[in-house]
């Protein structure tokens, strides 16, 4: 007992302060960092994530004064803000700690300097308790115990202690209830001093019992893939599979060559014939099937004539029923609620360029009700999924390619981030026991599958490559996914030619994408997998071949931008577990020069208006990214100027010292004169939803105004006159929402889908045997 109490009294280390589920004793209170709660002698108090971040900085320097500027830089470094936000965060903490006494007992104000934490601090959890197990127990305690009046704090920790003392980490059905009632009664009759002591004693007893029983138990076993196989092998595209709840059938979309439209089919997981799900409209694409929890119905979206409509049809076939407008096919993904009466989806409630917010949609009445949960202005939340046990909702936050996975209780409330990729997530699903998510990402260069536990931690690579849009059965270990065999190439289109036939730039068996023409018109750079990994390649005008100018290992590249003299390019370099950096590649020498700081996560960058300057977006996601102009990068004279906040894409007009950008969650294209001009909204036609589909071309903005599965429309916007004209309509299927234009304005370079094929794969996913 004494050894464990000594263990629990230790100050948090720098590594512990980074943990999402850290729990601290601060004075007479317990602080649950992951749940954003302060637990005292009354009702638990909710606090904001920024207030918790301030507290952790004060804990990091416990007993010493921390300057206001230091706190603002540490906590609000990704935001343009005022000192008032720090004052409000400290007030919030004082309210939560009931620190209204004079003199202060918790946080002392040092006039005109900063703040100092006065209260004693220690870690509530012992190192011997596995992180994943504690996290799971905390989630369980949140869900099951906080409803008990005045005894919630004791109940939660009593439940944790009882569960830890059991053999399997799950509390018995009867004993915990009695323990909880007794703990609650003792909590109500004891003095204020008893609350933190009860917490410490409960956890110390639990730690002692657990350590004595298991002694350094390992983390949960890793996932194991078996019976990897192809379910379909027909020529053409089989898309977005969804497996029935019992794991016996799979629904998916398939392109019908004779009509040019996608249709929904069902087949058994074992070899069998395809059965069409809905009538063949021959005027629209039917896609994204989603089985109801009982397997009796399938929801799907119909895309045609620029409109997305949601339908429900019996899974055994029958009459389809229209539910309503799903607004935007590319963002309005959906899932069934556990009761089978509602769908959860994402819509823009305040216009087509506002935030994406999760809401519930009644399939019988059509009524829509926003979900109440932690959501800040500018957040783009979509692709929500209920866990099989109905207790949790996972969702993706951030428009691709800057996305991560989050989770919250099924009823809404606080959210918790599971992944820290800020990358492209191509579908995900819950595993059958609701303990983890399986997802697809290409953050290491090619789309493959990973698993991340609900308890947190680094994602586990599953070894299933060329894989997108996984889906898992509720009643078995079977996972299906889309096997991507599609490749893209870079093509050149002569806008003066009558036919506007695309010409392949440099033949390859890999995928070429993200083309960018050099300012002098002699070269086109692009990203390619032709060497087996994503590298930066260059094609010389008039030559049929291309050459690589990078040789990165275990990295993926993004957003190449030419320097004005056409001798070098900026490119984003992303490695798993490291901040993304911005590097300059000299074409002649192939040498790299990093222009971003060591700990800066750079989403994208461009050359600035001044010689030797760069403009870069720094932050964990585009919603929180600061757009900076940096001069004399990497020298002692380096200087930064904040230009904007929450930026999706940027273009710089060096000749006129202008910067153009789009904001996440805000309609419009914006312009600012450098170095310190006012922000102007130029048009609401170009928005953050245009992603990288707009570029500065000869002082004007060229942009993709419309794109469906097999064509695109290119337009030109004049920012000075506000006029808008059609440039071209091209019969081409884009591999990504991007393009580039040559300096003569006669040639456009596009990433075209060259080989269009995909199949449905499947495998069994289970935990490995205990090691």
């Amino acid at each position: 007992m004494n050894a464990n109490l000594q263990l629990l009294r230790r100050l948090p280390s720098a590594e512990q302060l980074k943990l999402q589920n850290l729990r601290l004793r601060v004075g007479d209170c317990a602080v649950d960092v992951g749940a954003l709660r302060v637990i005292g002698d009354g009702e638990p108090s909710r606090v904001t994530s920024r207030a918790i971040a301030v507290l952790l900085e004060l804990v990091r320097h416990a007993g010493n004064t921390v300057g206001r500027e230091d706190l603002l830089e540490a906590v609000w470094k990704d935001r343009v803000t005022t000192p008032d936000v720090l004052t409000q965060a400290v007030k919030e903490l004082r309210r939560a700690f009931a620190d209204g006494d004079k003199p202060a007992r918790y946080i002392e104000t040092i006039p005109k300097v900063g703040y100092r934490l006065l209260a004693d601090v220690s870690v509530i959890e012992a190192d011997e308790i596995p992180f994943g197990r504690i996290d799971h127990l905390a989630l369980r305690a949140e869900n099951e115990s906080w409803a008990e009046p005045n005894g919630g704090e004791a109940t939660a920790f009593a439940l944790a202690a009882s569960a830890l003392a059991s053999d399997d980490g799950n509390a018995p059905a009867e004993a915990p209830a009695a323990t909880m009632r007794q703990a609650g009664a003792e909590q109500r009759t004891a003095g204020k001093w008893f609350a933190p002591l009860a917490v410490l004693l409960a956890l110390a007893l639990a730690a002692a019992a657990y350590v004595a029983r298991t002694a350094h138990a390992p983390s949960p076993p890793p996932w194991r893939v078996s019976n990897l196989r192809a379910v379909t092998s027909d020529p053409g595209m089989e898309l977005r599979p969804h497996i029935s709840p019992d794991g016996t059938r799979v629904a998916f979309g398939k392109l019908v060559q004779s009509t040019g439209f996608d249709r929904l089919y069902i087949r058994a997981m074992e070899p069998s014939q395809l059965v069409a799900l809905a009538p063949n409209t021959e005027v629209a694409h039917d896609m994204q099937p989603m089985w109801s929890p009982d397997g009796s119905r399938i929801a799907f979206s119909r895309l045609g004539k620029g409109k997305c409509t949601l339908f429900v049809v019996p899974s055994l076939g029958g009459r389809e029923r229209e539910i309503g407008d799903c607004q935007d096919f590319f963002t309005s993904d959906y899932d069934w609620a556990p009761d089978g009466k509602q769908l959860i989806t994402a819509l823009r409630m305040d216009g087509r360029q506002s935030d994406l917010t999760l809401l519930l949609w009644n399939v019988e009445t059509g009524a829509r009700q926003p979900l109440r949960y932690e959501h800040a202005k500018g957040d783009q939340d979509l692709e929500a999924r209920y866990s099989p046990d109905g207790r949790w909702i996972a969702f993706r936050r951030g428009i691709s390619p800057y996305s991560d996975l989050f989770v919250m209780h099924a009823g809404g409330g606080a959210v918790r981030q599971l992944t820290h990729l800020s990358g492209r997530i191509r579908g995900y699903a819950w595993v059958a026991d609701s303990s983890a998510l399986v997802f697809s990402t290409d953050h290491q260069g090619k789309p493959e599958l990973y698993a991340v536990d609900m308890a947190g931690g680094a994602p586990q690579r599953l070894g299933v490559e060329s894989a997108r849009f996984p889906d898992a059965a509720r009643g078995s270990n079977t996972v299906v996914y889309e096997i991507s065999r599609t490749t893209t190439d870079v093509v050149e289109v002569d806008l003066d030619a009558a036919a506007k036939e695309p010409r392949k730039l440099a033949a390859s068996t890999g995928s070429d994408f993200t083309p960018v023409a050099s300012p002098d018109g002699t070269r086109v750079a692009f990203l390619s997998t032709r060497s087996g990994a994503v590298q930066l390649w260059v094609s010389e005008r008039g030559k049929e071949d291309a050459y690589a100018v990078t040789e990165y290992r275990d990295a993926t590249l993004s957003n190449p931008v030419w320097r004005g003299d056409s001798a070098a390019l900026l490119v984003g370099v992303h490695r798993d577990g490291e901040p993304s950096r911005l590097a300059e590649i000299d074409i002649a020498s192939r040498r790299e020069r990093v222009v971003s700081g060591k700990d800066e996560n750079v989403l994208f960058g461009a050359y600035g208006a001044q010689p030797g300057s760069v403009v870069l977006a720094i932050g964990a996601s585009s919603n929180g990214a600061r757009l900076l102009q940096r001069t004399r990068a990497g020298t002692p004279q380096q200087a930064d100027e904040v230009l904007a906040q929450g930026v999706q894409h940027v273009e710089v007009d060096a000749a006129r010292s202008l910067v153009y950008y789009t904001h996440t969650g805000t309609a419009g294209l914006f312009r600012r004169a450098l170095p310190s001009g006012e922000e102007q909204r130029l048009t609401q036609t170009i928005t953050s939803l245009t992603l990288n589909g707009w570029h500065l071309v000869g002082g004007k903005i060229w942009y993709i105004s419309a794109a469906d599965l097999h064509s695109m429309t290119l337009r030109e916007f004049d920012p000075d006159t506000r006029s808008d004209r059609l440039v071209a309509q091209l019969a081409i299927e884009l591999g990504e929402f991007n393009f580039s234009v040559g300096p003569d304005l006669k040639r456009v370079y596009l990433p075209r889908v060259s080989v269009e094929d995909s199949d449905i794969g499947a495998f069994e996913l289970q935990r490995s045997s205990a090691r």
Side-chain angles (χ1 to χ4, degrees):
M1 169 67 77
N2 291 338
N4 281 289
L5 281 175
Q6 182 65 32
L7 186 67
L8 293 173
R9 290 192 183 111
R10 295 186 306 193
L11 285 170
S13 65
E15 289 303 313
Q16 285 175 315
L17 287 174
K18 297 178 183 178
L19 297 177
Q20 293 181 348
N21 295 286
L22 176 67
R23 291 164 183 82
L24 300 171
R25 179 182 65 80
V26 180
D28 293 338
C29 298
V31 178
D32 189 336
V33 172
L36 302 177
R37 295 181 189 271
V38 175
I39 306 163
D41 62 340
E43 289 293 319
S45 298
R46 285 277 191 192
V47 291
T48 64
S49 58
R50 297 291 176 179
I52 287 290
V54 169
L55 176 62
L56 293 180
E57 284 302 308
L58 295 175
V59 169
R60 195 184 308 275
H61 306 281
N64 297 317
T65 300
V66 185
R68 290 180 62 87
E69 292 300 322
D70 293 333
L71 286 169
L72 285 167
E73 173 61 24
V75 178
W76 284 274
K77 63 181 179 180
D78 292 335
R79 295 187 182 271
V80 179
T81 186
T82 66
D84 291 341
V85 295
L86 175 58
T87 303
Q88 293 303 316
V90 173
K91 287 182 179 178
E92 188 179 343
L93 290 172
R94 284 176 171 152
R95 282 196 299 268
F97 289 130
D99 188 21
D101 298 338
K102 298 290 185 179
R105 295 181 297 116
Y106 283 79
I107 300 174
E108 179 186 12
T109 300
I110 310 299
K112 298 183 179 181
V113 179
Y115 300 94
R116 183 163 66 101
L117 184 65
L118 302 176
D120 293 334
V121 182
S122 59
V123 179
I124 288 179
E125 297 165 330
D127 289 349
E128 281 80 0
I129 303 174
F131 171 78
R133 184 178 292 263
I134 277 289
D135 182 75
H136 174 75
L137 290 167
L139 292 171
R140 179 176 165 195
E142 271 190 54
N143 205 37
E144 297 178 7
S145 67
W146 288 114
E148 183 173 338
N150 302 320
E153 58 270 38
T155 302
F157 287 103
L159 177 59
S162 176
L164 282 172
S166 66
D167 285 328
D168 59 0
N170 295 315
E174 299 299 330
T179 304
M180 289 154 56
R181 286 193 296 270
Q182 180 182 358
E186 292 173 351
Q187 173 69 16
R188 288 188 290 271
T189 57
K192 289 184 178 181
W193 58 270
F194 186 73
L197 181 59
V199 169
L200 287 173
L201 285 174
L203 282 175
L205 286 169
Y210 182 80
V211 170
R213 193 180 297 273
T214 61
H216 303 290
S219 58
W223 293 98
R224 178 174 59 86
V225 170
S226 62
N227 193 21
L228 185 65
R229 61 200 185 275
V231 177
T232 67
S233 57
D234 299 332
M237 303 282 287
E238 286 88 36
L239 304 166
R240 300 295 291 270
H242 196 249
I243 193 169
S244 61
D246 61 4
T248 62
R249 295 174 291 166
V250 60
F252 53 90
K254 181 176 175 63
L255 180 65
V256 180
Q257 295 293 337
S258 60
T259 66
F261 290 99
D262 293 276
R263 194 175 179 188
L264 294 180
Y265 292 88
I266 295 178
R267 57 157 288 173
M269 289 296 294
E270 301 302 323
S272 62
Q273 292 184 337
L274 299 183
V275 176
L277 181 62
N280 188 0
T281 65
E282 297 190 0
V283 296
H285 299 276
D286 289 350
M287 306 181 76
Q288 294 179 323
M290 187 69 67
W291 294 83
S292 62
D294 63 2
S296 66
R297 292 166 293 166
I298 292 178
F300 69 93
S301 56
R302 176 166 291 162
L303 180 65
K305 297 181 179 179
K307 183 181 179 182
C308 175
T309 309
L310 199 62
F311 288 83
V312 170
V313 65
S315 59
L316 296 178
R319 185 177 179 180
E320 62 186 36
R321 184 166 57 84
E322 181 176 335
I323 303 301
D325 181 8
C326 46
Q327 197 178 80
D328 188 339
F329 172 78
F330 295 102
T331 58
S332 298
D333 207 326
Y334 45 86
D335 187 26
W336 289 88
D339 61 8
K341 298 178 180 179
Q342 301 180 99
L343 297 171
I344 185 169
T345 187
L347 292 180
R348 301 184 184 277
M349 302 300 292
D350 300 319
R352 300 187 73 89
Q353 280 80 45
S354 61
D355 297 355
L356 273 170
T357 305
L358 301 181
L359 56 84
L360 295 172
W361 192 348
N362 191 299
V363 297
E364 297 296 332
T365 66
R368 300 176 182 180
Q369 179 182 359
L371 189 66
R372 297 176 64 87
Y373 68 103
E374 191 176 28
H375 176 94
K377 179 176 174 54
D379 284 341
Q380 307 292 310
D381 299 338
L382 64 162
E383 206 171 338
R385 297 283 184 268
Y386 279 96
S387 61
D389 62 11
R391 295 173 57 197
W392 308 102
I393 294 173
F395 63 94
R396 177 162 65 90
R397 173 164 286 175
I399 297 293
S400 182
Y402 309 117
S403 296
D404 273 297
L405 296 176
F406 288 71
V407 70
M408 62 180 162
H409 286 295
V415 306
R416 185 165 58 95
Q417 188 170 349
L418 283 186
T419 66
H420 297 269
L421 305 174
S422 191
R424 196 187 315 272
I425 294 176
R426 300 172 181 267
Y428 74 96
W430 288 92
V431 299
D433 66 359
S434 303
S435 68
L437 299 174
V438 176
F439 66 97
S440 170
T441 178
D442 59 358
H443 75 287
Q444 293 195 36
K446 51 190 173 182
E448 55 182 305
L449 298 186
Y450 296 77
V452 60
D453 284 339
M454 269 283 284
Q460 176 194 335
R461 204 169 190 169
L462 297 180
V464 183
E465 299 182 352
S466 299
R468 306 185 302 184
F469 305 111
D471 188 56
R474 291 168 174 263
S476 72
N477 296 319
T478 304
V479 177
V480 294
Y481 66 99
E482 182 182 307
I483 306 173
S484 176
R485 308 188 195 281
T486 299
T487 59
T488 59
D489 55 27
V490 173
V491 297
E492 178 187 73
V493 176
D494 187 345
L495 297 177
D496 286 346
K500 295 181 175 56
E501 287 293 331
R503 181 187 69 84
K504 187 180 294 187
L505 197 64
S508 165
T509 57
S511 277
D512 302 338
F513 49 97
T514 317
V516 53
S518 64
D520 63 7
T522 63
R523 298 165 171 161
V524 175
F526 56 91
L527 301 178
S528 178
T529 63
R530 58 178 64 197
S531 63
V534 177
Q535 303 292 351
L536 181 63
W537 289 69
V538 171
S539 172
E540 303 279 356
R541 183 152 189 79
K543 297 182 179 180
E544 296 297 326
D545 59 351
Y547 54 90
V549 295
T550 62
E551 295 181 356
Y552 288 107
R553 295 175 180 268
D554 300 321
T556 186
L557 310 182
S558 65
N559 301 314
V561 178
W562 282 100
R563 198 168 67 193
D565 61 3
S566 301
L569 295 109
L570 288 177
V571 65
V573 182
H574 317 272
R575 280 194 172 92
D576 192 24
E578 299 179 5
S580 298
R581 67 177 189 264
L582 187 65
E584 182 181 65
I585 308 298
D586 182 80
I587 299 300
S589 66
R590 316 287 172 89
R591 290 181 178 175
E592 174 198 76
R593 180 175 72 93
V594 177
V595 299
S596 57
K598 180 180 178 181
D599 297 322
E600 293 175 333
N601 190 71
V602 181
L603 302 181
F604 52 85
Y607 287 100
Q610 301 177 33
S613 68
V614 292
V615 172
L616 33 77
I618 299 174
S621 67
S622 54
N623 186 35
R626 292 180 302 161
L627 186 65
L628 304 178
Q629 178 176 240
R630 174 165 293 169
T631 56
R632 298 180 291 276
T635 71
Q637 294 77 36
Q638 176 176 304
D640 289 343
E641 178 193 0
V642 179
L643 301 177
Q645 176 74 29
V647 175
Q648 178 72 35
H649 180 66
V650 64
E651 297 275 327
V652 178
D653 186 341
R656 299 176 61 189
S657 293
L658 297 172
V659 59
Y660 296 85
Y661 49 88
T662 50
H663 283 297
T664 57
T666 303
L669 173 70
F670 296 83
R671 180 173 70 181
R672 184 187 293 273
L674 299 174
S676 57
E678 292 293 323
E679 181 179 85
Q680 294 177 282
R681 190 200 306 259
L682 301 174
T683 176
Q684 294 196 37
T685 302
I686 302 170
T687 73
S688 61
L689 293 181
T690 314
L691 301 177
N692 297 336
W694 66 272
H695 295 285
L696 185 68
V697 179
K700 298 179 175 61
I701 304 296
W702 286 34
Y703 68 99
I704 299 172
S705 66
D708 60 24
L709 296 181
H710 304 292
S711 66
M712 61 164 289
T713 302
L714 194 62
R715 300 189 69 87
E716 178 191 79
F717 171 76
D718 189 326
D720 295 325
T721 66
R722 311 298 170 94
S723 61
D724 196 297
R725 73 176 183 92
L726 174 69
V727 175
Q729 289 180 318
L730 304 175
I732 187 171
E733 182 175 352
L734 290 177
E736 63 176 354
F737 219 57
N738 207 337
F739 69 96
S740 182
V741 182
D744 60 3
L745 309 187
K746 295 180 180 180
R747 295 175 178 84
V748 61
Y749 301 91
L750 301 152
R752 178 188 65 176
V753 174
S754 55
V755 176
E756 192 173 37
D757 189 16
S758 61
D759 292 310
I760 308 302
F763 58 88
E764 309 305 314
L765 184 65
Q766 295 173 291
R767 295 280 189 183
S768 298
S769 300
R771 291 167 294 179

